[in-house]
Amino acid sequence: MTVDQAVSVRRARADDLDQVRALLEECHLPIADVNARSLDEFVVAEAGGPIVGVAGVERHGSYGLLRSVAASEAMRGKGIGRSVVESAISYARARGVSDIYLLTTTADSYFPALGFVKVDRDTAPAEIKSSSEFTDLCPSSAVLMRLDDDDAVPSPS
């Protein structure tokens, strides 16, 4: 998928780990469980070489947990966040993931435009509740949001 002529989105590779972790740290997102193996569930956006965006959908049974959505400060407002989210969700759905959840402390106003709705944390399936994001990495104040299997991430208008 191409955001514009200078930025492209692709599946992450193990050798992207250092750049992905650096971008997540720049955006104040957790990196404790981001490793070469977990990158198999991530996509990255590149701008002529450097990684400028990232998102992953971590699989938990038939559910997915959208995580680590980030765009570099210099590239914000260019559709990179939407592109990496759409690509990560598309890849997860192709692997059989149905409902997709996310936890956020700062972007609960961003994700409704992508079809996510706030849900009560108590309604999360056990598989999501047992994730490290739910139990350790995200505070209990993080907002839980869900994109149902029947919902499609809207295309840019």
Side-chain angles (χ1 to χ4, degrees), residues 55-117:
V57 176
E58 193 174 86
R59 188 177 184 133
H60 296 277
S62 64
Y63 303 103
L65 185 63
L66 179 65
R67 55 155 312 161
S68 304
V69 176
S72 68
E73 184 73 32
M75 298 298 285
R76 292 195 184 145
K78 298 180 186 281
I80 291 170
R82 175 182 283 274
S83 293
V84 293
V85 167
E86 288 174 346
S87 293
I89 289 172
S90 178
Y91 176 60
R93 297 241 195 226
R95 293 183 359 250
V97 170
S98 60
D99 290 355
I100 296 176
Y101 291 83
L102 68 85
L103 287 161
T104 183
T105 58
T106 60
D108 56 312
S109 62
Y110 173 78
F111 287 103
L114 298 174
F116 284 85
V117 295

Side-chain angles (χ1 to χ4, degrees), residues 119-130:
V119 294
D120 189 290
R121 287 176 66 103
D122 293 337
T123 66
E127 294 89 340
I128 297 297
K129 285 182 179 177
S130 67

Side-chain angles (χ1 to χ4, degrees), residues 5-72:
Q5 297 165 344
V7 179
S8 61
V9 178
R10 63 166 173 80
R11 287 190 48 203
R13 301 181 304 252
D15 63 344
D16 294 327
L17 182 60
D18 290 341
Q19 285 189 71
V20 167
R21 289 174 63 99
L23 179 57
L24 294 175
E25 281 186 311
E26 173 189 321
C27 296
H28 308 289
L29 294 172
I31 63 165
D33 63 341
V34 177
N35 55 52
R37 189 171 13 130
S38 67
L39 281 186
D40 185 50
E41 300 173 320
F42 282 68
V43 298
V44 295
E46 293 178 304
I51 292 174
V52 296
V54 64
V57 176
E58 193 174 86
R59 188 177 184 133
H60 296 277
S62 64
Y63 303 103
L65 185 63
L66 179 65
R67 55 155 312 161
S68 304
V69 176
S72 68

